């Protein structure tokens, strides 16, 4: 048994940069590489693609990431664990096999399925967000349970070099290889709590090494154009030391680690995953060297009897339109334009939003007094059940060119199909994860 | 004297459905008691009244040290269906840092 395991995280979301994972695989001296690519909504969108084409429904960047990484992973004996299977881990595994054959490589891939529980739902289950039956949200598209470490362990017991999952709790992607290597008991709640702290700190990749952090002159981060993603050295007692590859950009400090430890945490004493209810309140973070932070003291309580299920539903369409005003009285002209659109569309949309980009668009008001900006971009958004009506928003904004206030420029219009997400709970006993091994 | 949170603390926003989480981490650990004292859940709720429709819950995390604010009904319906541009509320950490507080020792 190894005394120390090194795990890298090369992607923290579906659209993440490609090369940090390659640098980790080449120079990181890793045992495992994790790519976390699945947000709440991503899997519902993937489910729609699978319905249109049964060979699709995995992560859209899977081919590019695997082509880049596969030769290096095999040469350096690094195992890959990723949730890029999204709605279709089996098709993803077959695609990886196809890429390997094209590159004259041989690879074993394990696909984990069983998270898709759509056929088990009636729609009468209660949504956690609304307290109403799921089916009242709209036409249901997908339902995926968050699987845990216990679903990944059987795949790790095979000789697969790549393990591809669908919906799995993000920290479990890290907890699983630790449990596999060190033989920890899943019932040892403090050990699994500490492993979950490690997974939680790692799962957003660059957010631990200076991404989503920098503020010039206040919180400077060097060479962000080449931000290095993190790795962690974990000892058999659970002690973790986070670091990054030498000569990559970014900075890993006590401050970046503190921000990430609390990221998306709803209760620091009860961070619920399928593996454990982790307690972060005794965690000790310590800077032990340049770009090196040590974490100890994660604890936990027994795992819940139920698993969270993410349910996608058809939420119609959002239409958007934008147009810019600049120079004297830019805000005044933009507000006039906004009032014109309100008057023309308000009675046709239950949900219509007018924002002034440069002034109050993302904070929804200004805090304190600031000088009026030189430029303002009007942005209007409306939701509808039909594509045609949603498109009206952009059409009306564009028509301001010749019918609106003076000097409106740069109009753009967009329509997006929207998938909404609600959650419910399912008994653990109703979910049965499976592993399928493919050799190419 | 009055000081702005931005000058003494940093923050990161996170989202879960329609709930916004905001950490508040003092640059200097010695400012933690001041934050505990001045930045109550009520103060944050009032400060963010244009953003947070529901309850604000504050957790103390002295082991870092930091405060964590969990703000309910803050993301106009949540990431997937909201009409706002910043559907995740990722920019909202800097709305919290716009808060001015009283520091009797400065």
């Amino acid at each position: 048994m190894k005394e120390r395991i090194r795990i890298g995280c090369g992607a923290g979301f579906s659209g993440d940069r490609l090369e940090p994972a390659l640098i980790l695989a080449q120079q990181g001296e890793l045992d495992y590489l994790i790519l976390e690519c699945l947000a709440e909504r991503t899997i519902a969108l993937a489910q729609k693609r699978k319905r249109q084409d049964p060979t699709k429904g995995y992560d859209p960047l899977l081919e590019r990431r695997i082509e880049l990484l596969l030769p290096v992973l095999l040469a350096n004996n690094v195992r890959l664990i990723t949730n890029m299977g999204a709605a279709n881990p089996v098709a993803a595994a077959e695609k990886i096999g196809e890429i390997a054959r094209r590159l004259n490589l041989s690879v074993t891939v394990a696909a984990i399925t069983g998270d898709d529980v759509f056929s088990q739902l009636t729609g009468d289950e209660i949504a956690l967000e609304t307290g109403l039956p799921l089916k009242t949200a709209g036409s249901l598209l997908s339902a995926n349970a968050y699987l845990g470490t216990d679903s990944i362990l059987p795949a790790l017991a095979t000789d697969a070099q790549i393990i591809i999952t669908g919906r799995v709790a993000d920290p479990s992607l890290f907890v699983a290889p630790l449990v596999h290597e060190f033989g920890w008991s899943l019932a040892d709640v403090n050990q699994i709590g500490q492993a979950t702290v490690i997974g939680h700190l790692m799962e957003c990749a660059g957010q631990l090494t200076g991404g989503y952090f920098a503020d010039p002159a206040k919180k400077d981060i060097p060479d962000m154009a080449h931000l290095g993603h993190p790795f962690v050295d974990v000892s058999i007692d659970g002690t973790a030391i986070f670091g990054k590859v030498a000569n990559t950009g970014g900075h890993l400090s006590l401050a970046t680690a503190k921000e990430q430890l609390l990221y998306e945490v709803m209760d620091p004493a009860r961070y619920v995953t399928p593996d454990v209810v982790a307690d972060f309140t005794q965690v000790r973070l310590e800077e032990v060297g340049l770009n090196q932070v040590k974490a100890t003291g994660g604890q936990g309580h027994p795992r819940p009897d139920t698993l969270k299920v993410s349910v996608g539903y058809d939420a119609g369409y959002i239409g958007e339109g934008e147009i810019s005003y600049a120079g004297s009285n830019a805000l005044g002209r933009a507000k006039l334009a906004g009032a014109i659109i309100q008057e023309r569309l308000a009675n046709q949309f239950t949900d219509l939003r007018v924002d002034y980009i440069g002034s109050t668009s993302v904070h929804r008001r200004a805090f304190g007094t600031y000088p009026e900006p030189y430029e303002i971009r009007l942005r209007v958004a409306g939701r509808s059940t039909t594509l045609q009506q949603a498109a009206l928003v952009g059409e009306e904004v564009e028509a301001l060119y010749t019918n609106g206030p003076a000097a409106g420029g740069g109009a753009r219009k967009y329509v997006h199909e929207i998938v909404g997400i609600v959650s419910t709970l399912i008994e653990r006993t109703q979910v049965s994860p499976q592993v399928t091994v493919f050799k190419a | 004297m009055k000081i702005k949170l931005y000058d003494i603390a940093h923050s990161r926003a996170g989202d879960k459905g329609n709930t916004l989480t905001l950490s508040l981490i003092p640059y200097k650990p010695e400012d933690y008691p001041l934050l505990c004292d001045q930045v109550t859940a009520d103060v944050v709720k009032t400060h963010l009244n244009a953003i947070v429709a529901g309850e604000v819950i504050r957790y103390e995390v002295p082991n870092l040290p930091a405060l964590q604010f969990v703000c309910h009904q803050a993301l106009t319906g949540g990431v997937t269906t909201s009409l706002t541009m910043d559907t995740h509320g990722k920019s909202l950490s800097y709305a919290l840092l716009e808060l001015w507080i009283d520091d009797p020792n400065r």
Side-chain angles (χ1 to χ4, degrees):
Chain A
M1 189 182 293
K2 289 176 185 163
E3 287 294 305
R4 197 205 74 180
I5 299 297
R6 178 173 285 189
I7 304 175
C9 184
F13 81 109
S14 174
D16 212 335
R17 289 179 184 164
L18 300 185
E19 85 278 3
L22 183 64
I23 292 168
L24 276 168
Q26 283 170 332
Q27 303 169 47
E29 298 174 39
L30 302 182
D31 297 298
Y32 290 88
L33 176 68
I34 313 297
L35 301 175
E36 196 290 287
C37 297
L38 209 50
E40 262 198 322
R41 181 170 54 160
T42 330
I43 203 157
L45 296 170
Q47 205 67 254
K48 286 188 101 165
R49 291 198 301 277
K50 181 185 176 183
R51 227 171 266 178
Q52 282 155 10
D53 179 350
T55 68
K56 292 278 165 28
Y58 50 80
D59 187 281
L61 286 180
L62 176 125
E63 288 187 66
R64 284 168 68 190
R65 291 193 196 275
I66 295 294
E67 271 173 15
L68 191 67
L69 291 171
L70 190 59
V72 185
L73 293 171
L74 296 177
N76 292 349
N77 198 24
V78 178
R79 285 181 108 178
L80 174 69
I81 306 176
T82 177
N83 53 15
M84 278 196 292
N88 204 347
V90 166
E94 284 167 348
K95 176 57 76 176
I96 293 169
E98 189 188 308
I99 294 167
R101 282 189 293 276
R102 200 192 311 147
L103 299 174
N104 274 323
L105 298 167
S106 77
V107 67
T108 303
V109 185
I112 296 170
T113 52
D115 59 309
D116 185 343
V117 294
F118 189 64
S119 63
Q120 295 177 47
L121 295 188
T122 62
D124 295 321
E125 296 81 1
I126 298 300
L128 299 176
E129 291 82 0
T130 58
L132 298 169
L134 291 173
K135 64 186 179 196
T136 59
S139 167
L140 301 184
L141 299 168
S142 66
N144 293 80
Y146 281 80
L147 303 181
T149 292
D150 52 0
S151 74
I152 306 175
L153 290 176
L156 286 165
T158 72
D159 60 353
Q161 291 127 322
I162 296 183
I163 289 147
I164 185 141
T165 76
R167 175 55 77 200
V168 166
D170 297 347
S172 305
L173 297 168
F174 300 84
V175 176
L178 294 173
V179 168
H180 171 73
E181 294 283 350
F182 293 140
W184 291 340
S185 161
L186 288 177
D188 183 345
V189 290
N190 287 335
Q191 197 73 83
I192 303 302
Q194 167 67 7
T196 299
V197 167
I198 294 167
H200 175 69
L201 281 166
M202 292 288 287
E203 71 184 56
C204 294
Q207 283 192 191
L208 185 62
T209 47
Y212 196 38
F213 180 87
D215 186 347
K218 187 82 179 162
K219 294 158 77 189
D220 281 314
I221 295 291
D223 194 17
M224 295 182 71
H226 307 97
L227 195 81
H229 284 187
F231 57 67
V232 62
D233 289 327
V234 185
S235 305
I236 193 162
D237 69 350
T239 300
I241 297 179
F242 299 85
K244 66 185 191 69
V245 174
N247 301 318
T248 56
H251 183 49
L252 202 170
S253 67
L254 211 47
T256 63
K258 285 178 184 177
E259 282 197 15
Q260 191 54 26
L261 185 69
L262 293 177
Y263 178 67
E264 292 184 338
V265 170
M266 303 282 280
D267 178 347
R270 297 186 61 80
Y271 181 82
V272 183
T273 80
D275 303 327
V276 72
V277 178
D279 180 353
F280 294 177
T281 63
Q282 305 300 317
V283 170
R284 249 178 75 84
L285 298 174
E286 226 179 312
E287 221 164 280
V288 292
L290 179 65
N291 291 311
Q292 278 196 320
V293 170
K294 180 175 165 183
T296 51
Q299 297 183 350
H301 309 285
R303 67 185 199 179
D305 293 329
T306 50
L307 297 176
K308 185 174 156 184
V309 180
S310 208
V311 180
Y313 65 93
D314 184 352
Y317 300 85
I318 288 180
E320 289 177 280
E322 297 178 2
I323 190 165
S324 285
Y325 299 88
S328 294
N329 203 21
L331 184 59
R333 282 177 285 133
K335 285 193 167 166
L336 172 58
I340 294 167
I341 298 291
Q342 287 272 20
E343 190 175 338
R344 291 183 60 85
L345 292 183
N347 62 350
Q348 298 179 60
F349 288 85
T350 47
D351 220 3
L352 188 76
R353 183 173 182 89
V354 177
D355 287 316
Y356 300 96
I357 300 175
S359 175
T360 53
S361 62
V362 290
H363 281 187
R364 305 177 219 168
R365 56 159 281 199
F367 292 86
T369 45
Y370 287 87
E372 209 163 277
Y374 185 78
E375 293 184 358
I376 289 284
R377 189 160 176 82
L378 169 75
R379 183 250 181 192
V380 185
R383 191 143 73 94
S384 170
T385 52
T386 70
L387 180 81
Q388 200 180 9
Q389 203 200 359
L392 199 56
V393 176
E395 288 162 11
E396 282 291 333
V397 171
E398 189 180 42
L400 290 169
Y401 268 144
T402 56
N403 301 283
R412 296 282 187 280
K413 51 185 180 181
Y414 316 94
V415 185
H416 315 275
E417 196 176 352
I418 302 301
V419 170
I421 295 288
V422 284
S423 321
T424 191
L425 298 173
I426 192 168
E427 290 298 321
R428 221 174 247 285
T429 49
Q430 280 182 263
V431 181
S432 34
Q434 282 162 3
V435 176
T436 316
V437 176
F438 298 81
K439 284 186 189 291
Chain B
M1 64 179 273
K2 288 263 186 199
I3 53 168
K4 200 173 176 177
L5 283 186
Y6 178 75
D7 293 324
I8 62 163
H10 54 112
S11 172
R12 176 167 293 189
D15 65 285
K16 284 267 186 254
N18 198 14
T19 304
L20 167 73
T21 67
L22 296 169
S23 57
L24 186 65
I25 306 164
Y27 286 104
K28 296 180 178 153
E30 55 265 33
D31 282 329
Y32 179 63
L34 174 72
L35 296 180
C36 288
D37 190 45
Q38 295 282 314
V39 193
T40 62
D42 281 347
V43 164
V44 171
K45 168 80 183 158
T46 305
H47 176 64
L48 298 179
N49 67 350
I51 295 168
V52 182
E55 197 184 359
V56 174
I57 297 169
R58 186 181 89 167
Y59 294 96
E60 294 178 14
V61 195
N63 49 315
L64 294 183
L67 294 174
Q68 177 82 339
F69 296 92
V70 177
C71 310
H72 293 277
Q73 297 170 53
L75 297 173
T76 63
V79 176
T80 53
T81 56
S82 165
L83 290 181
T84 53
M85 283 195 299
D86 181 11
T87 50
H88 299 87
K90 288 189 182 284
S91 71
L92 295 175
S93 48
Y94 276 73
L96 175 62
L97 295 179
E98 287 293 313
L99 179 68
W100 289 81
I101 59 167
D102 252 323
D103 181 357
N105 296 318
R106 275 188 172 90

